[in-house]
Amino acid sequence: MAIDRGELESDLIWLLQRNGQRLRGGVDEVAREAGLRGGLRDYIVLTAVLLEERRSQVELARRIGIDKSTLVAVLDRLESQSLIERLADPGNRRVSIPVATDRGRDIHDRVSKGRLAVEAVPGMSEEQLGQLRGLLLQLDAACEEAGMTMTGSCI
């Protein structure tokens, strides 16, 4: 069976991985310059803490597809920099709920602005990038609806 090079080059997973790697490298640099010692990984976890307010550490790990022990290490680092604090869940005091501090929100905003600059890829119009974001949001929702889970610790 002959390999169809065009089909391989348009493989969705292949394309998402290649372009994700390129964008992640730029955002990692921006995050480190803003003071996030763990770079992109810290930014992603801080974003999840802001987006997924009042979720336990176990729920956060599942939601962003990161190993629980990896998440704890990142949260420890963010907490040591006063970017998050862990609150006890009022319903179960053994459960910690990470919450962003004002300092954490400020650094996140700074990285977010830098992220937008990284995402402004030359050769792509704002309209095209907006369409891509819209399609990726639809893909994310469809995958979630289909029960497709995130695995591993790719960040």
Side-chain angles (χ1 to χ4, degrees):
M1 181 171 160
I3 295 175
D4 182 344
R5 186 168 176 83
E7 182 181 328
L8 286 176
E9 289 176 345
S10 65
D11 180 304
L12 183 59
I13 297 301
W14 170 253
L15 291 169
L16 289 171
Q17 173 63 22
R18 284 172 48 96
N19 290 288
Q21 281 291 101
R22 290 177 174 131
L23 294 171
R24 281 193 297 265
V27 176
D28 183 65
E29 187 177 323
V30 167
R32 288 179 190 282
E33 287 173 2
L36 292 176
R37 292 190 296 243
L40 177 68
R41 183 174 281 179
D42 286 9
Y43 175 70
I44 298 248
V45 170
L46 190 54
T47 299
V49 167
L50 288 164
L51 281 174
E52 307 290 334
E53 280 192 5
R54 304 296 175 179
R55 288 196 188 247
S56 71
Q57 292 178 187
V58 170
E59 292 170 323
L60 268 180
R62 186 177 56 249
R63 184 74 176 114
I64 60 177
I66 189 172
D67 180 77
K68 289 179 280 192
S69 59
T70 302
L71 177 65
V72 168
V74 174
L75 291 173
D76 287 347
R77 185 170 47 243
L78 293 173
E79 189 173 40
S80 76
Q81 291 183 268
S82 300
L83 303 176
I84 66 148
E85 59 184 342
R86 290 176 170 128
L87 306 176
D89 183 338
N92 183 351
R93 299 201 49 79
R94 292 175 294 162
V95 174
S96 290
I97 308 279
V99 177
T101 63
D102 289 340
R103 184 171 188 266
R105 282 186 206 81
D106 289 344
I107 287 197
H108 185 272
D109 287 348
R110 196 173 336 145
V111 177
S112 247
K113 288 178 180 131
R115 173 194 53 82
L116 290 172
V118 169
E119 291 175 0
V121 179
M124 296 285 294
S125 70
E126 284 185 40
E127 181 182 348
Q128 289 171 316
L129 291 169
Q131 289 171 337
L132 178 59
R133 277 188 189 86
L135 290 170
L136 290 171
L137 285 167
Q138 287 177 351
L139 178 61
D140 186 51
C143 288
E144 182 112 0
E145 181 68 26
M148 299 168 78
T149 59
M150 291 186 275
T151 59
S153 186
C154 65
I155 59 166

